[in-house]
Amino acid sequence: MTDQPAPPPAPAPLRAAIVPVTPLQQNCTLIWCTATMKAAVVDPGGDLPRIKAAAAQAGVTIEKILLTHGHIDHAGEAKPLADELGVPIEGPHEADRFWLARLDEDGRNYGVRGVPFEPDRWLDDGDTVTIGDLTLDVYLTPGHTPGHVIFHHAPSKFAQVGDVLFQGSVGRTDFPLGSFDDLVRSVTTRLWPLGDVTFIPGHGPASTFAHERRTNPFVGDAALARG
């Protein structure tokens, strides 16, 4: 009896690549299904040539745009990209309509392009979105903005969390309609119950929920116990 070679490992069903955009170095994220090579662009705030080049390098076809929230660095050029590619925009929650309506004003203030729009689909807590054969769960996570959402793929233990949580920090809550209490509630009741998930934030390096729960000076267990 001869030994049979082990089969090669199956590719992960989900892959993601960060594409930093705008002067604020926002983590626009390309997420794709490895079975179909269909992709979503999460939070295309600007620098569209860079985003399209990343998609071409990965060999994927962009089928939709997903938005975590309506701030200029995340949503400023979502509409132009959607129009160019002929794809829909899904998200954020309708409570961020205020932010999407003022993208042109905010763009002038930050020296970047901002095009107001309404998405093809508003998202709510408990919804799902698809990317190729993948299904991601949507959680409403207000605090940074009232209509902020995150996207979670449970089989991959992966989430894209926008500006709710960062490595060692959290999103600002001093913008209009922000709330630190709501942000803490979103993290502790929506993110932490998901377990040891690897996440890509809206800015900075990736981390895990478990690491942030142990060490984050704003929403970690020790920090909240002191509070």
Side-chain angles (χ1 to χ4, degrees):
M1 181 176 179
T2 59
D3 292 335
Q4 295 295 318
L14 177 152
R15 290 195 64 187
I18 295 173
V19 186
V21 298
T22 81
L24 299 174
Q25 289 294 284
Q26 191 275 120
N27 286 340
C28 173
T29 306
L30 190 67
I31 298 176
W32 68 92
C33 165
T34 57
T36 64
M37 299 304 283
K38 300 289 187 180
V41 178
V42 183
D43 293 352
D47 296 320
L48 299 189
R50 186 180 301 169
I51 296 170
K52 290 182 289 182
Q57 182 177 1
V60 300
T61 301
I62 298 170
E63 67 173 359
K64 67 181 58 178
I65 294 168
L66 301 176
L67 296 180
T68 61
H69 64 293
H71 281 168
I72 182 68
D73 54 328
H74 292 254
E77 290 203 63
K79 177 62 171 171
L81 182 61
D83 287 347
E84 179 180 345
L85 299 179
V87 299
I89 302 172
E90 300 183 9
H93 183 276
E94 193 170 2
D96 267 16
R97 182 191 294 270
F98 159 82
W99 285 109
L100 297 180
R102 55 177 279 175
L103 284 171
D104 53 350
E105 175 187 345
D106 289 338
R108 288 191 297 270
N109 292 337
Y110 283 93
V112 296
R113 185 185 187 196
V115 180
F117 67 95
E118 288 197 7
D120 298 278
R121 177 191 178 197
W122 297 107
L123 296 175
D124 204 349
D125 193 67
D127 285 346
T128 60
V129 296
T130 60
I131 305 171
D133 292 342
L134 305 174
T135 299
L136 283 70
D137 297 309
V138 176
Y139 293 87
L140 179 61
T141 51
H144 181 64
T145 69
H148 197 296
V149 297
I150 71 161
F151 303 103
H152 174 236
H153 188 243
S156 301
K157 298 183 179 180
F158 168 84
Q160 221 297 346
V161 303
D163 286 359
V164 173
L165 181 68
F166 304 129
Q167 184 186 86
S169 188
V170 294
R172 289 174 57 176
T173 56
D174 57 339
F175 293 118
L177 307 181
S179 166
F180 183 72
D181 289 343
D182 286 349
L183 182 75
V184 171
R185 190 175 303 112
S186 292
V187 171
T188 56
T189 67
R190 291 288 189 265
L191 273 58
W192 289 170
L194 299 178
D196 192 8
V197 168
T198 297
F199 71 90
I200 294 176
H203 302 266
S207 185
T208 69
F209 291 166
H211 177 76
E212 298 307 315
R213 189 167 183 174
R214 288 193 305 270
T215 64
N216 192 287
F218 298 94
V219 288
D221 290 349
L224 296 179
R226 289 193 300 271

